[in-house]
Amino acid sequence: MQVRFNQPTLWDAFLHYLAANKYPVPKALLQRDHSAVYEPSPEVQRIIVNVYKKDPTVAQIAERLVDLDEGFMEWRYRHVKMVQRTIGTKMGTGGSAGAEYLMTTLNQPAFPDLWAIRAEL
């Protein structure tokens, strides 16, 4: 599992796809440490806004990523509710805080740059 954790993510693949399609993705992002949490990038956000305005094919791929991300967020919400219904406020598996911990994961998008630009589209 640790080996996979240190490999590129789906978001990294999308950034490489953008670069392969001649979008100026910063090299630092293309060569980032994959074990580190991705931080939203204003440069990438500007690129994505441009994609949505000028490149419908690539914009459709970005929208599918938004759909995937939204689906995961919906699953997390349903999971929290199932845990609350099943164990209430008891400690969760593996010693976690259970539903209380799960609540902290609800608004954590996998692709934050795609959500950050919504008002600009």
Side-chain angles (χ1 to χ4, degrees):
M1 184 173 304
Q2 189 63 39
V3 170
R4 178 61 189 109
F5 182 72
N6 292 318
Q7 293 176 342
T9 65
L10 179 57
W11 184 250
D12 294 309
F14 182 65
L15 293 178
H16 282 274
Y17 174 77
L18 289 174
N21 280 278
K22 309 295 186 226
Y23 288 100
V25 179
K27 285 190 185 219
L29 292 178
L30 297 173
Q31 300 169 348
R32 74 182 192 87
D33 174 5
H34 301 295
S35 66
V37 174
Y38 176 81
E39 295 294 329
S41 165
E43 295 92 352
V44 169
Q45 291 169 20
R46 283 190 291 278
I47 291 167
I48 295 170
V49 168
N50 187 40
V51 162
Y52 273 92
K53 291 179 178 178
K54 298 180 180 178
D55 195 337
T57 301
V58 178
Q60 283 298 316
I61 294 169
E63 277 301 291
R64 296 302 68 84
L65 291 174
V66 170
D67 291 342
L68 178 65
D69 207 6
E70 183 178 358
F72 274 119
M73 286 189 268
E74 289 171 353
W75 178 86
R76 284 187 198 120
Y77 174 78
R78 288 191 303 273
H79 184 64
V80 166
K81 291 304 178 187
M82 181 271 305
V83 169
Q84 288 174 330
R85 184 176 184 166
T86 305
I87 66 170
T89 59
K90 292 180 191 173
M91 184 178 293
T93 58
S96 76
E100 185 177 320
Y101 162 73
L102 293 173
M103 292 289 288
T104 67
T105 70
L106 289 180
N107 293 313
Q108 305 274 334
F111 312 123
D113 289 323
L114 292 174
W115 292 99
I117 62 154
R118 303 326 282 186
E120 298 180 48
L121 300 179

